Amino acid sequence: MKTMLQTAVREDALTATSAGFELRLGLPWIRSMPLSSVLGLAVEIDGVPMAPGEVSVLLGPREVMAADLQAESGWWFVQDRLVLASRRKLDPGTHGIAVDFQLLVPYLQARPGSPLVLPFHVEARLELDHAPAPSVSRDVA
């Protein structure tokens, strides 16, 4: 699982926007998953936890609150990046980021009648607006 976590956040994942910042997160799992399987999304920047209302998810032209992903019918494909957005302004330079969430795996059971729920913790030190890396990834829409 460690290898999957290493590719979840690339060096160009943190970008400034006119409103705040965006953080692109890769799916640290072996198969594409429904967006509704993402639970408890929490973000920390430079050791400061963000309030639940401070983090939203961009799905194409739509912005949804992280807690509302459970009602989404779309998919997070393995090669795509989930775009987390915030109106918090970040200073230029390097920032410590941490993202925690659970992934409900609907096709695996933890015990009879109960789906497997896996906790994920991804952290990295990222330079704001690092030069883009060549990629075939696209944003989840």
Side-chain angles (χ1 to χ4, degrees), residues 34-125:
L35 287 170
S36 61
S37 68
V38 179
L39 312 171
L41 190 60
V43 178
E44 187 176 287
I45 302 290
D46 296 326
V48 179
M50 299 186 73
E54 279 188 281
V55 179
S56 61
V57 178
L58 301 180
L59 300 174
R62 296 185 310 122
E63 182 175 358
V64 300
M65 296 310 299
D68 295 336
L69 283 176
Q70 295 167 342
E72 290 295 321
S73 61
W75 284 77
W76 186 359
F77 295 104
V78 170
Q79 71 275 17
D80 294 346
R81 301 290 162 184
L82 190 66
V83 182
L84 310 181
S86 175
R87 299 200 192 307
R88 184 185 290 185
K89 294 287 189 177
L90 297 179
D91 293 329
T94 303
H95 297 274
I97 64 102
V99 179
D100 289 283
F101 66 96
Q102 296 174 324
L103 192 61
L104 183 143
V105 184
Y107 52 84
L108 295 177
Q109 291 187 356
R111 60 186 175 280
S114 179
L116 179 64
V117 178
L118 299 172
F120 287 95
H121 175 80
V122 179
E123 64 181 271
R125 294 211 40 88

